[in-house]
Amino acid sequence: MARRRWRLGLALGALLAGTLAAGPGVAAEPTDYTIAVDSTRTGAEIDKTMYGVFYEDINRAADGGLYAELVQNRSFEYQAADNRAYTPLTSWAVSGSARAVDDGGRLNSRNRTYLLLDGGSSVTNSGYHTGIAVEKGKQYDLSFWARTEGTTSLTAGMNDSRGELAAVRRVVARGGWAKYAATFTARRTSTTGRLTVAVDRSAALDMISLFPRDTYKGRKNGLRKDLAEKVEALDPGFLRFPGGCLVNTGSHEAYDEKSGWQRKRSYQWKDTVGPVEERATNANFWGYNQSYGLGYYEYFQFAEDTGAMPLPVVPALVTGCGQNTVIEDDALLERHIQDTLDLIEFANGPVTSEWGGKRAAMGHPKAFHLTHVEVGNEENLPTEFFARFQRFRSAVQAKYPDITVISNSGPDDEGAIFDAAWRLNREADVDMVDEHYYNSPQWFLENNHRYDSYDRAGPKVFVGEYASQGAKFSNALAEAAFMTGLERNADIVKLASYAPLLAHRNDVQWQPDMIWFDNARSWGSANYETQKLFMTNVGDEVVPSTSSTTPAASGPIAGAVGLSTWATSAAYDDVQVTDADGTSLLADDFSSGDGQWTEATAAGSWAVQDGAYVQSDEAAENTLVTAGDKGWQNYDLKVKATKKSGKEGFLVAFGVKDTGNHYWWNLGGWNNTRSGVEKTVNGAKQTVVQDGTTVETGRIYDLRVEVRGRQVTLYLDGKKWGGFTDKVAEPFRQVVTRDKATGDLVLKVVNDQATTARTKIDLGDRAEVTPTARVTTLAADPAAENTEETQPVKPKTSTFDEVDNAFSYSFPAHSVTFMRIKTE
C-alpha cells in the first residue's frame, strides 16, 4: 500500500486569552498538537484485571437496589439501632391486630423477630420508596415462613391505587415453621404496588419475600437484572466488595448471645452465607438496615457471572471512617484471621473441606478462583493498622502463598498518614497498596503524572476508590485524563475502580455515583459512559508515545487578591500588594474607608472599624471581598490579621478570578484544627499544602504571600510557613495501547477544552497499518449530565479512512476519543 510521508514539524499555536472558556457561538481557533507513537516498541504490560468495579452497600445499593427482593423489612428485623425512625413494622401497615415478637418461638436464633397476626387481620408491605415495581406479563415469586396452631388459610394479593395488580393467591398452612410459596403474574405495569398478606386464623409469619422471576442469569435469591447487566457491560476485571466503611466500622464481635446480638458491626462474611433465613442482620454504616440476603456467596457468583476477579475486603480490627479506634482483643483478632483463612477455603477449597463443602451445599461445587484479599480500608492509624495487617498477611501466606494480600495507605492521597502508611508498606515489601481519593476535577487534570515517579521496585498500586466531585461530563473528562496516566503506568498501577458504583435516586448518602436507578429504571452517568469506554478498550500492553502540550495551561498564577472568613469574625489591616520589582500595586490601611474592595459573595458584614476592615458576623461563611486586577501576577501580598471571635481563623485569597476560581490561605481552618492552602476551580476545592497551625483569638498575625510564576511561598510572622508549585492542569492527554488479539493500536485522546485539538499523529515509518480506523467518541457540553429522562453523554461510533504512518485528525472540543487502528 502506498504511504504518505511527511515530517512533523508543526509548531504549537499559542492559545489566546479566553480560548479555554469560549462561549456558545464563539468560533474558537483550533489548538494544534502532535502525537508521536513508537509503534515498533512495547511498554508496560496491562493486566486483564486493570479496571474493575467496587461494590459497596451505600445509597441503597443492595436491599432496594441490586438485590432483587421487592419486600422491605421482610423479616421484621428493622430496629432503632439501624435508623432511629425504624421499628420492626417499618414498611408494614396493619389491618386488624398484629405485633412483632422477639421470643423463643422465633424461626431461628439469628432471625430474632417474627410477626404474630391475629385471625381476620392482614399486613401490607409498601416496598422501597415509591412501592413495589412490577411489569405486565412478568412473574413474581412469593415465599414466606409460617407457624400455626391448626389449619390457617393465608391470602396474598398485589394492588396499587388503581386496584388489583395480579390474581389473589391462597395458601393453606398448618403446624410448625414451614416455608410456603406462590407465584403472581402481573396484569399491569406499576411502580407503586403493595403486597398484602391476610390470615383467617392467627398465625406466626416471617421472611415474607417477593422476587421477580426474571433476575440476572435467572438465579434464585438473585440480582436485579437491569442493574447487573449494566455492571456486566463494563466488562469488569475485578469486583471489590463489600466495603468501604462497612468493613472497618462498629463492633467486630459476632452476632450472637455473647455479644448481646449487636447490630452495629463490621461486615463479617460468615454472617452472610447459608440459607437466607438463617443469616444475620446488621445496621448499615450508611443509616439503614442490611439484610445480608445479598451475601458473600452471591458476590462471588456475581463476580463469576461478569467475568470479574473476586476481591474481598476483610476487617483489620482498626476502625476508620471517623471512628478511629483500635480493638485490643488478641483472641478476637485471631478469630478474624481464622475467618479470613476460612473465606479463602470457602472460595477455593475442595468440596471435601469444611468451607468448600458449605460452598458446594449452596450450589457451587467448583472453586471461585480467589487470588486477592484486601485487609482493612482507609485506616487513620497507620502504625496500629499495619501491626495487625502483618499478622493477617503472615497467616495467609503461610497457608495460601499464592494469595496476594493487599494493604492500604489511609483515606487521603497525601499527608502524614499517607506517608507513614507507605513507609510501612515499603519497608515490609507489601505486594500491593490500595490508594483512595475523592478530589476536584482540577486535581485529576493536574495529577496525570502521579505514578510516573513511583518506585518501580516497590509495592504495586491498587486505586481502589476514586472520583472527581461531580457527575457532569466535565468530571468524566478530568477522570479520563487521569486514567491515561494510570494506563501509562500499568507496571505500577495494577488495579483501579471508580466509586461508588450504585445509587438510588431517592436514597443518596454519597455522590457522585456511576450508575443511578429508581424502582423501575436505571441509567449510566457521564462517568459510567467514560469508564465503560476505558474498560472495554484496555489493550494488553502500553505502546510508547509522546504528545505536545497546551502552552496556556502552564502559564503563571494570575488574579486579584481577597480577604474572607468562615464562621469567624476577623479584622484585617495594612494590606499591601507589590510587584516583583517592589512597585506598589495596592496599599490600604483603611483610613479612607473600604472603597477599593468589592463584596464578591454578598455574605457577612464588612465595615471599617477602629482603622481596620472587620467582618463581624461570626456565623457567616465564605465572606470573600476582593481588590485589584485579575491580570496581576508575580506579586507579594502582605496583610495583618486578627481573629476576634468564632470557630476558625483567616482566609487570605490570591490569584482570584471570581468566587469559584481562586486560591486562599486558610489559617486556622477546619474548626481551627489545621491550616492549608486551598485551590478552587469552577467551585471545586482541593487542598494543595497543609500543616497543624492554629490561630489565637486577639493576636495580630503578619501574613505574606509571595507569588512567582506557578510557585507560591507563604510567610507567617516573618517565618516561612510553607509553599508549593502549582501543578499544570493539561487539558490534552493521550495514551496508546496494543490489543494483541486483534493487533489494533488503541489511541485514546482526551481533549478537555472548548476548542478542537487539531492533531498530527506519527506512527513511525515502520508501522504497517490499514487505512480505516474505528472511532468511538464521547463529546458533549461539559455541563451535560445524564438523568433518568435524558442521556446526552453517549458514545458515537464512526470510521476514519485516512490512517497512514502519519496523518491528521481533529479531536472535538470536550471529548474522549478511542481510535482503533488496525495493523497489517
Side-chain angles (χ1 to χ4, degrees):
M1 180 171 62
R3 304 284 178 190
R4 294 191 300 275
R5 311 279 190 201
W6 22 269
R7 299 175 62 190
L8 298 179
L10 186 66
L12 288 175
L15 284 174
L16 299 177
T19 294
L20 295 180
V26 178
E29 284 294 317
T31 308
D32 293 330
Y33 294 92
T34 62
I35 296 175
V37 183
D38 192 344
S39 57
T40 63
R41 293 176 54 222
T42 59
E45 181 179 335
I46 306 174
D47 293 350
K48 297 292 185 185
T49 53
M50 175 71 180
Y51 295 122
V53 293
F54 165 46
Y55 179 89
E56 179 179 8
D57 186 1
I58 183 174
N59 308 314
R60 283 288 184 184
D63 297 333
L66 184 62
Y67 187 46
E69 174 64 74
L70 296 173
V71 175
Q72 183 173 187
N73 190 21
R74 65 183 178 185
S75 192
F76 309 101
E77 296 295 325
Y78 277 27
Q79 289 186 7
D82 311 328
N83 185 298
R84 282 183 293 180
Y86 283 179
T87 74
L89 287 175
T90 292
S91 297
W92 293 96
V94 177
S95 176
S97 178
R99 61 192 183 279
V101 179
D102 178 0
D103 65 15
R106 62 180 65 88
L107 180 59
N108 60 66
S109 62
R110 289 192 154 204
N111 205 322
R112 306 292 296 169
T113 309
Y114 62 97
L115 184 74
L116 277 180
L117 191 60
D118 290 346
S121 300
S122 66
V123 287
T124 298
N125 190 267
S126 57
Y128 292 92
H129 303 105
T130 60
I132 294 172
V134 296
E135 187 177 344
K136 182 178 179 180
K138 294 290 184 71
Q139 291 184 309
Y140 298 85
D141 292 326
L142 170 72
S143 66
F144 57 89
W145 286 75
R147 188 195 72 210
T148 67
E149 295 299 325
T151 300
T152 300
S153 176
L154 294 96
T155 303
M158 286 201 299
N159 299 270
D160 65 7
S161 60
R162 292 174 53 195
E164 196 172 72
L165 287 170
V168 171
R169 297 302 183 203
R170 290 181 174 82
V171 175
V172 175
R174 44 175 80 85
W177 283 111
K179 187 176 181 179
Y180 300 89
T183 299
F184 295 107
T185 300
R187 292 172 174 170
R188 289 186 290 107
T189 295
S190 176
T191 59
T192 58
R194 301 289 189 267
L195 172 69
T196 298
V197 177
V199 297
D200 65 345
R201 298 179 60 186
S202 63
L205 300 177
D206 209 342
M207 291 295 291
I208 301 175
S209 171
L210 185 68
F211 265 86
R213 178 76 57 85
D214 189 19
T215 59
Y216 178 64
K217 304 292 186 184
R219 300 199 181 281
K220 299 292 185 182
N221 195 50
L223 307 182
R224 180 171 149 175
K225 189 175 182 180
D226 63 322
L227 292 179
E229 287 179 344
K230 279 186 169 57
V231 176
E232 181 184 37
L234 293 168
D235 192 21
F238 63 87
L239 171 59
R240 176 179 180 252
F241 61 88
C245 289
L246 304 189
V247 166
N248 67 342
T249 53
S251 164
H252 295 285
E253 300 289 343
Y255 188 61
D256 57 18
E257 187 173 7
K258 180 182 177 182
S259 73
W261 307 102
Q262 290 186 31
R263 297 295 288 266
K264 293 185 176 182
R265 297 172 302 113
S266 59
Y267 196 108
Q268 300 175 41
W269 80 270
K270 288 181 180 178
D271 289 342
T272 75
V273 298
V276 292
E277 68 273 8
E278 296 177 6
R279 299 181 188 180
T281 189
N282 206 25
N284 183 293
F285 174 82
W286 299 107
Y288 50 87
N289 176 274
Q290 54 189 145
S291 70
Y292 288 150
L294 175 49
Y296 254 81
Y297 178 82
E298 290 76 24
Y299 281 128
F300 280 132
Q301 186 70 74
F302 187 35
E304 183 177 83
D305 286 342
T306 57
M309 175 186 80
L311 203 167
V313 187
V314 298
L317 273 69
V318 177
T319 61
C321 300
Q323 297 182 359
N324 303 333
T325 59
V326 179
I327 310 302
E328 300 286 1
D329 185 332
D330 198 66
L332 185 61
L333 176 62
E334 284 298 324
R335 193 267 285 176
H336 277 269
I337 292 171
Q338 184 60 51
D339 282 354
T340 302
L341 298 176
D342 292 343
L343 172 62
I344 298 169
E345 183 176 284
F346 179 78
N348 295 347
V351 297
T352 54
S353 66
E354 178 186 0
W355 289 100
K358 292 184 179 182
R359 181 195 68 240
M362 293 185 71
H364 202 284
K366 293 183 179 179
F368 282 118
H369 306 295
L370 180 65
T371 59
H372 293 64
V373 172
E374 182 171 356
V375 178
N377 171 76
E378 295 188 8
E379 283 73 23
N380 274 297
L381 303 169
T383 302
E384 294 83 351
F385 159 74
F386 201 74
R388 287 152 181 77
F389 169 83
Q390 288 278 58
R391 292 178 63 176
F392 277 88
R393 185 173 72 152
S394 295
V396 171
Q397 289 181 337
K399 189 170 184 178
Y400 300 106
D402 293 333
I403 296 290
T404 298
V405 185
I406 303 172
S407 180
N408 74 77
S409 59
D412 300 309
D413 61 275
E414 62 179 0
I417 293 172
F418 178 88
D419 293 340
W422 259 106
R423 177 181 56 78
L424 292 166
N425 285 309
R426 289 192 187 97
E427 290 173 353
D429 196 24
V430 169
D431 290 328
M432 188 176 292
V433 178
D434 187 0
E435 293 188 357
H436 296 177
Y437 29 80
Y438 296 93
N439 291 326
S440 70
Q442 187 78 3
W443 185 94
F444 284 93
L445 287 175
E446 292 172 352
N447 279 272
N448 177 273
H449 294 287
R450 177 179 177 86
Y451 297 105
D452 291 2
S453 59
Y454 271 50
D455 182 2
R456 266 46 199 171
K460 304 302 181 186
V461 174
F462 172 23
V463 185
E465 298 181 33
Y466 72 94
S468 66
Q469 296 161 346
K472 294 180 171 58
F473 188 48
S474 58
N475 298 97
L477 285 169
E479 292 155 4
F482 181 73
M483 292 169 76
T484 65
L486 298 184
E487 290 192 12
R488 188 178 62 252
N489 288 284
D491 59 325
I492 288 292
V493 181
K494 309 306 288 184
L495 306 167
S497 50
Y498 180 99
L501 178 64
L502 294 167
H504 193 291
R505 61 173 299 202
N506 299 124
D507 207 334
V508 181
Q509 292 86 50
W510 186 281
Q511 57 183 328
D513 304 285
M514 193 192 296
I515 300 170
W516 291 81
F517 62 95
D518 57 21
N519 284 13
R521 300 170 295 179
S522 58
W523 57 97
S525 64
N527 319 72
Y528 172 84
E529 295 297 342
T530 304
Q531 292 288 327
K532 185 177 176 182
L533 266 184
F534 276 88
M535 293 171 76
T536 55
N537 292 278
V538 181
D540 302 289
E541 59 190 15
V542 177
V543 179
S545 63
T546 58
S547 66
S548 55
T549 59
T550 309
S554 57
I557 293 173
V561 297
L563 307 170
S564 188
T565 60
W566 200 285
T568 301
S569 173
Y572 296 98
D573 202 357
D574 295 332
V575 179
Q576 299 177 50
V577 181
T578 56
D579 67 16
D581 296 329
T583 302
S584 178
L585 301 175
L586 172 72
D588 200 342
D589 61 5
F590 301 102
S591 59
S592 299
D594 61 358
Q596 299 189 72
W597 297 84
T598 300
E599 294 187 12
T601 61
S605 180
W606 287 94
V608 175
Q609 299 176 10
D610 300 323
Y613 200 23
V614 177
Q615 197 292 110
S616 57
D617 184 352
E618 70 176 57
E621 299 178 346
N622 193 12
T623 64
L624 183 65
V625 293
T626 64
D629 192 312
K630 294 179 182 179
W632 281 353
Q633 53 186 263
N634 297 318
Y635 57 78
D636 289 357
L637 165 62
K638 297 179 182 179
V639 61
K640 287 183 170 61
T642 307
K643 174 179 177 177
K644 298 176 74 66
S645 62
K647 296 179 179 179
E648 303 206 354
F650 319 117
L651 295 167
V652 177
F654 55 97
V656 180
K657 296 294 187 184
D658 51 48
T659 57
N661 294 275
H662 55 73
Y663 306 75
W664 63 29
W665 189 4
N666 188 350
L667 277 161
W670 298 274
N671 288 321
N672 202 18
T673 60
R674 61 188 189 272
S675 297
V677 175
E678 294 179 286
K679 177 179 179 178
T680 301
V681 178
N682 296 327
K685 283 193 289 190
Q686 66 189 76
T687 303
V688 294
V689 62
Q690 63 178 318
D691 76 354
T693 301
T694 58
V695 168
E696 300 174 21
T697 301
R699 174 181 165 186
I700 300 174
Y701 290 85
D702 283 311
L703 312 179
R704 176 184 165 201
V705 181
E706 182 183 277
V707 181
R708 297 292 184 273
R710 302 188 70 82
Q711 174 67 40
V712 177
T713 309
L714 305 108
Y715 297 88
L716 178 61
D717 291 333
K719 296 181 180 179
K720 183 178 177 180
W721 174 87
F724 65 96
T725 301
D726 198 26
K727 294 180 180 178
V728 174
E730 172 58 55
F732 184 81
R733 296 291 189 186
Q734 60 81 35
V735 70
V736 182
T737 63
R738 180 179 285 109
D739 186 332
K740 290 182 179 179
T742 63
D744 291 352
L745 293 175
V746 188
L747 172 62
K748 311 169 191 184
V749 176
V750 180
N751 181 26
D752 186 17
Q753 57 185 324
T755 59
T756 299
R758 189 170 53 197
T759 308
K760 287 195 172 181
I761 301 162
D762 184 5
L763 302 178
D765 290 348
R766 296 172 60 189
E768 297 290 332
V769 295
T770 60
T772 300
R774 180 162 59 89
V775 180
T776 306
T777 305
L778 281 175
D781 187 298
E785 190 168 357
N786 286 356
T787 69
E788 65 272 33
E789 304 299 338
T790 178
Q791 288 89 45
V793 183
K794 283 288 187 184
K796 294 182 179 180
T797 59
S798 60
T799 57
F800 178 71
D801 298 322
E802 299 180 29
V803 175
D804 209 326
N805 297 70
F807 64 96
S808 291
Y809 190 86
S810 291
F811 296 97
H814 302 304
S815 68
V816 183
T817 303
F818 282 67
M819 179 181 290
R820 297 189 73 103
I821 300 169
K822 289 199 170 296
T823 59
E824 293 181 335

